[in-house]
Amino acid sequence: MDVYAPRTWQPHERPLLPGSPSSPLHSTPRRIAFLLVGFIVAITGGLGNALVSVNLLYAQGSLGVYTAEIQWLPAAYVMANVSMNLLLVKFRQQFGLRLFTELFLLLYAVATLAHLFVHGLASAIAVRAASGICGAALTVLGLYYTLQAFPPQHRLKGVVVGIGFSQLALPLARLFSSDLLEIAEWRGLYSFELGMAILSFGCVLLLKLPPGDRVRVFEKLDFLTFALFAPGVALLCAALALGRTVWWFEAPWIGYCLAGAIVLVTAAVLIEHNRKSPLLNIRWLTTGKMVRLALAVLLIRIVQSEASGTVGFLNALGLNNDQMQDLWLITLFGSIAGLVASALTISPSRVLPSLMFALFLMALGAWLDAHATNLTRPHQMYFSQFLLAFAGTFFVGPIFISGFGAIIAQPRNLISFSLMFSMTQNLGGLLGTAIVGTVQVLREKYHSSQLVEHLTLLDPLVAARIQGGGAALGGTLADPALRNAQGVASLGAAATREANILAYNDVFLLISIVAVATLAWISMHYLWNICTASRPAAPAPNAQTGMANVSLENSGSK
């Protein structure tokens, strides 16, 4: 039997695209089972990297490496995750979902198990790279399982829920990662990651996805494009991930990485631009609506990096993860609430309004955080962080659907869209973190110079502060000179703390401005669509697939 021969499908069963499963009718218990497996698989795809990302300082101490070295862990994940999206779509289409699922889950479990017996930075980087490869596979797999839980008329809701599940990994990791570290230090994190991989592997073996169509799609030039594009993206990720740590203008290799990335990615783009059947449809990716979509996702991901700034701010105040548990619980509730609200309100005609609403909440949350002081504590950031978490999951579904509608009409562009969405999400996260860290360092130096400039012993208040700081140690230090030195050190530490607080306030304010600017841009585009609504409306969503042919170009005019 030819596995590539076209199958005969019932109208409601036909796969949405080659490489995706069919959609037979399921009983209610089976739909619930698909939903649970979809949640487990999607969380597994992102939770391992989230556990490591929120505990980099602990991993650094456990592995005995420098700050610049530990930053290779998140960089390796993004390198592998973005690059593999080039090949994974065609792999599913040609070799089928079953091999796709079992191979990558098994690879993930083996790599994680091996790291438990090898204590070193190289093995940790290898596990992060394997996690990135499998994360790219499991995110899509979790979406497919989740879609099986929804009837055709609610398929849009299934897309939002399936995409949103993976967004819950970070708040979940912040909640219980400290407990895993207490169990077995860094091995506790990897043991849990291994357990999740094995659990997902068992789930997909017990509950298999329905079969789909398979087609021969791989070409020789695909691997040449991958051989150029993958190292180019890896060099770019390395520069973004470590530039802030080694500082952009101090390490020459940052410039070499950026130059190499430009050369390699440009070569890959030139090859694809001149192919008859390209792996990446450059002409389609450079159309106005796709460029706007990519820019919108990138800007929103930069705005979402405010969360990393919040962690840095609270750490600057001397708080650790154990003292922020209630805050992370609030952010988890906010993420779940945003996911539910997005699923309940999703509609092709509400894509742009949903994005505008999410950006408004992000701008408001960042603006509220921009008024922090040295007396600010986690409970005073509950509301702002809830808004940011809510908006973070509320926007993902609509932004994905806004671009995926064009894929229904042109399935050959699926790889291009998958790569674009993955790059803007992952590289946007790296870029946002780099911007937040860089601006914070620059502003801290500025505020520190302004504060220290006014600290002179000729000022009676400064002299009294130094004397008071030394007097507090009178019971332990008998030498007046040592007490005075400790008083000076205490005042210097207070000045540094205040400079950091002011710097983080500047970062939060900058993020709020970026969110407002993005909101204004999308609002103007939305109003322009309304003013030019005389053109024919796009067709309504197909009831069999539940997926609307929508885009950022036409969603505002419906």
Side-chain angles (χ1 to χ4, degrees), residues 491-551:
L491 181 59
T496 300
R497 184 190 65 221
E498 293 300 323
N500 275 293
I501 292 171
L502 292 173
Y504 277 111
N505 283 343
D506 292 344
V507 168
F508 297 149
L509 183 60
L510 175 64
I511 290 174
S512 180
I513 292 172
V514 172
V516 170
T518 307
L519 173 61
W521 168 55
I522 294 180
S523 299
M524 288 189 293
H525 182 66
Y526 180 65
L527 293 175
W528 176 261
N529 282 341
I530 293 177
C531 294
T532 58
S534 57
R535 60 188 176 184
N542 190 301
Q544 295 174 1
T545 64
M547 186 66 69
N549 184 11
V550 295
S551 66

Side-chain angles (χ1 to χ4, degrees), residues 292-374:
R292 284 193 296 272
L293 175 63
L295 184 59
V297 178
L298 186 65
L299 289 172
I300 293 174
R301 286 293 294 161
I302 292 174
V303 171
Q304 282 189 293
S305 62
E306 200 268 359
S308 64
T310 302
V311 176
F313 168 77
L314 294 174
N315 288 335
L317 293 178
L319 303 178
N320 56 39
N321 194 55
D322 291 337
Q323 296 167 299
M324 308 177 202
Q325 291 300 294
D326 291 341
L327 178 62
W328 306 141
L329 189 61
I330 293 295
T331 59
L332 177 60
F333 286 152
S335 299
I336 295 174
L339 175 60
V340 172
S342 181
L344 292 177
T345 60
I346 189 64
S347 169
S349 61
R350 297 188 189 131
V351 170
L352 283 182
S354 296
L355 296 181
M356 292 157 57
F357 179 64
L359 281 167
F360 170 75
L361 295 183
M362 291 179 184
L364 178 59
W367 181 80
L368 291 173
D369 286 344
H371 297 80
T373 67
N374 59 7

